[in-house]
């Protein structure tokens, strides 16, 4: 279906919906104003809106219709989404300048250095895996949208800052760019990488580890297999509420090759249960979500089992702070911590309400004394 035909389809549907919408407006005659209406703070408006929502006979149809109008006429989705070309969707976090982003970068870099100091005190090595933004790896699909100056400078500034602090952080952009002609490294409709992209990253990190240190324990063979290839509707499609009425307008779903990694035959049945693990992985949903199999790819290429303390939904700093206060860190310290850290989170705020403010302040002060924050400029 061509774009003009799709637009005509939406307009005709809007004309059909109009009489029903007008009918729903008559339901406002049943509305009863609260005894003490709060006009100045928007309380009355919210009350009317809630009454209308409850009595609107085609609420979902209205949502779908408005989303279709925004998508077809303006090329936009809900706040949080940037619509590129060729069915590519991006998070607006990779485009928009962050409020007070420069100060937040300094604070976060100080915390990163503070984390390194905590690990050094336990003779634990830190390997920072800075994940390039999707816009950085696939700028050719962003259309007329362009990341802000801060976003464009993030990746090299991040690397300069941690390199000056003596933190190992290999360049992951080059191997991902080299491999993207062979297979997609990121999903078109999702913020995340593909299992192929996760595998390329795991291989690059493992090469750095092997050249710099000898992991304790004997090498263990792990095998990765593709268990299924399925359609994947990415997380960014949630910002395009076109279904069910205009589902045909949605970008085509990605094809995801689901992979799983397991110990090779004869490798022992208790490998994943071994408490003396030389490697710990900490990070975001890039590491926590089994759909990408990043932890499995690391096991295969490192030839070692690992503990995975990554979490979804909290950014990269919160899971690391939780790990530093965990019993596992206290009782089973690893030899190496791999910290997966998407670049876009560097100038973003995090929810630290579950942590002791004094402990956080001490961690940050320790990092600032080491000069990492100053190196971010």
């Amino acid at each position: 279906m061509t774009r003009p035909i799709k637009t005509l389809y939406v307009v005709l549907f809007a004309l059909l919906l109009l009489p029903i919408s007008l009918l729903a407006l008559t339901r406002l005659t049943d509305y009863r104003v609260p005894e003490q209406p709060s006009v100045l703070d928007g309380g009355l408006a919210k009350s009317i809106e809630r009454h209308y929502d409850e009595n609107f006979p085609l609420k979902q149809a209205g949502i779908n219709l408005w989303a279709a109008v925004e998508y077809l006429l303006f090329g936009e989705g809900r706040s949080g989404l940037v619509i590129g070309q060729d069915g590519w969707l991006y998070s607006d976090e990779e485009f928009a300048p962050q409020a007070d982003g420069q100060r937040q970068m300094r604070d976060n870099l100080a915390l990163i250095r503070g984390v390194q100091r905590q690990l050094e005190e336990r003779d634990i090595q830190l390997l920072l895996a800075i994940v390039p933004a999707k816009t950085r790896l696939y700028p050719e699909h962003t259309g007329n949208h362009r990341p802000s100056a801060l976003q464009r400078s993030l990746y090299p500034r991040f690397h300069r800052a941690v390199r000056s602090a003596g933190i190992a952080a290999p360049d992951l952009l080059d191997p991902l760019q080299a491999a993207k002609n062979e297979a997609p490294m990121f999903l078109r409709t999702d913020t995340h990488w593909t299992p192929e992209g996760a595998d390329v990253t795991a291989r690059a990190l493992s090469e750095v580890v092997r050249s710099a240190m000898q992991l304790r324990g004997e090498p263990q063979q792990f095998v990765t297999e593709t268990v299924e290839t399925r359609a994947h509707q990415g997380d960014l499609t949630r910002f395009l509420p076109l279904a069910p009425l205009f589902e045909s307008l949605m970008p085509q779903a990605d094809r995801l090759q689901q992979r799983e990694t397991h110990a090779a035959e004869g490798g022992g049945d208790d490998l994943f249960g071994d408490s003396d693990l030389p490697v710990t992985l900490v990070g975001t949903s890039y590491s926590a979500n089994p759909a990408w199999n990043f932890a499995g790819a690391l096991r295969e290429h490192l030839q070692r089992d690992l503990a995975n303390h990554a979490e979804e939904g909290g950014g990269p700093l919160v899971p690391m702070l939780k790990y530093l206060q965990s019993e596992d860190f206290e009782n089973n310290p690893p030899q190496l911590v791999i910290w997966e850290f998407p670049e876009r989170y560097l100038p973003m705020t995090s929810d630290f309400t579950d942590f002791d403010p004094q402990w956080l302040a001490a961690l940050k002060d320790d990092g600032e004394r080491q000069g990492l924050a100053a190196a971010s400029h």
Side-chain angles (χ1 to χ4, degrees):
M1 205 185 323
T2 64
R3 191 177 187 88
I5 294 177
K6 289 180 179 178
T7 304
L8 178 61
Y9 173 52
V10 171
V11 170
L12 291 176
F13 185 85
L15 294 176
L16 177 63
L17 188 63
L18 181 61
I20 302 175
S21 301
L22 294 175
L23 176 63
L25 285 173
T26 63
R27 303 289 181 88
L28 289 176
T29 58
D30 301 330
Y31 176 70
R32 295 291 179 267
V33 178
E35 293 183 2
Q36 295 181 339
S38 51
V39 178
L40 295 180
D41 64 358
L44 179 61
K46 290 180 180 177
S47 174
I48 296 174
E49 180 182 356
R50 186 164 52 250
H51 175 83
Y52 185 75
D53 284 345
E54 292 172 354
N55 291 274
F56 186 37
L58 288 176
K59 178 181 177 180
Q60 186 59 50
I63 293 174
N64 292 163
L65 176 61
W66 183 244
V69 169
E70 285 187 313
Y71 181 52
L72 289 176
L73 299 185
F74 306 108
E76 297 178 355
R78 287 187 170 178
S79 177
L81 176 68
V82 170
I83 298 175
Q85 296 176 332
D86 309 314
W88 281 73
L89 306 179
Y90 296 85
S91 168
D92 69 352
E93 293 174 347
E94 296 188 6
F95 291 84
Q98 298 291 331
D100 206 10
Q102 297 289 350
R103 182 192 62 80
Q104 194 60 51
M105 282 178 62
R106 292 192 295 270
D107 288 347
N108 288 342
L109 286 166
L111 280 176
I112 292 171
R113 176 55 174 157
V115 167
Q116 185 202 27
R117 292 282 295 167
Q118 290 273 306
L119 297 176
E120 284 179 342
E121 291 175 1
R122 301 289 297 272
D123 293 322
I124 300 171
Q125 298 294 316
L126 174 64
L127 182 62
L128 194 62
I130 303 175
V131 181
K134 183 177 176 179
T135 53
R136 193 174 303 281
L137 189 58
Y138 287 99
E140 62 268 30
H141 300 293
T142 59
N144 296 325
H145 304 283
R146 184 170 171 80
S148 67
L150 175 62
Q151 298 292 340
R152 294 196 302 273
S153 68
L154 265 185
Y155 191 75
R157 290 177 64 182
F158 201 168
H159 273 274
R160 285 197 301 270
V162 296
R163 185 169 56 247
S164 69
I167 299 176
D171 176 31
L172 300 176
L173 182 60
D174 281 350
L176 287 169
Q177 285 179 326
K180 77 176 194 177
N181 290 330
E182 302 297 326
M185 298 290 102
F186 273 79
L187 294 156
R188 284 183 299 99
T189 65
D190 205 294
T191 53
H192 299 92
W193 51 22
T194 61
E196 293 88 349
D199 183 77
V200 168
T201 301
R203 186 186 298 272
L205 293 171
S206 300
E207 290 174 355
V208 171
V209 173
R210 284 196 296 271
S211 66
M213 64 188 303
Q214 178 64 45
L215 293 175
R216 66 181 181 236
E218 293 297 321
Q220 303 169 3
Q221 297 299 316
F222 292 90
V223 177
T224 299
E225 298 176 334
T226 299
V227 294
E228 66 171 335
T229 300
R230 57 181 173 84
H232 175 81
Q233 200 68 262
D235 59 358
L236 292 171
T237 60
R238 294 177 298 181
F239 298 92
L240 274 180
L242 295 167
L245 293 179
F246 304 112
E247 193 167 3
S248 62
L249 301 180
M250 293 286 289
Q252 185 178 0
D254 284 285
R255 300 297 296 174
L256 180 69
Q257 289 188 351
Q258 182 66 62
R259 299 177 175 183
E260 291 182 0
T261 300
H262 56 83
E265 187 176 351
D269 296 331
D270 62 343
L271 292 177
F272 287 84
D274 190 355
S275 60
D276 185 26
L277 301 178
V279 180
T280 291
L281 172 63
V282 183
T284 68
S285 51
Y286 284 75
S287 300
N289 193 326
W292 329 129
N293 195 47
F294 181 51
L298 281 172
R299 289 187 176 101
E300 179 183 14
H301 296 300
L302 287 172
Q303 296 186 335
R304 296 295 193 281
D305 195 5
L306 57 82
N308 190 353
H309 285 264
E311 296 183 2
E312 298 192 61
L317 286 166
V318 170
M320 176 57 81
L321 298 178
K322 287 184 179 179
Y323 174 62
L324 292 181
Q325 296 187 335
S326 69
E327 291 184 3
D328 194 32
F329 178 71
E330 181 65 29
N331 300 327
N332 304 298
Q335 188 180 356
L336 171 69
V337 169
I338 298 176
W339 192 2
E340 168 261 308
F341 201 120
E343 64 162 292
R344 74 176 188 273
Y345 282 102
L346 184 60
M348 294 173 61
T349 59
S350 300
D351 183 4
F352 295 144
T353 54
D354 291 337
F355 301 100
D356 179 5
Q358 292 183 337
W359 178 71
L360 279 177
L363 198 65
K364 187 187 299 183
D365 289 344
D366 195 12
E368 288 175 342
R369 283 195 297 272
Q370 300 302 319
L372 175 58
S376 64
H377 298 290

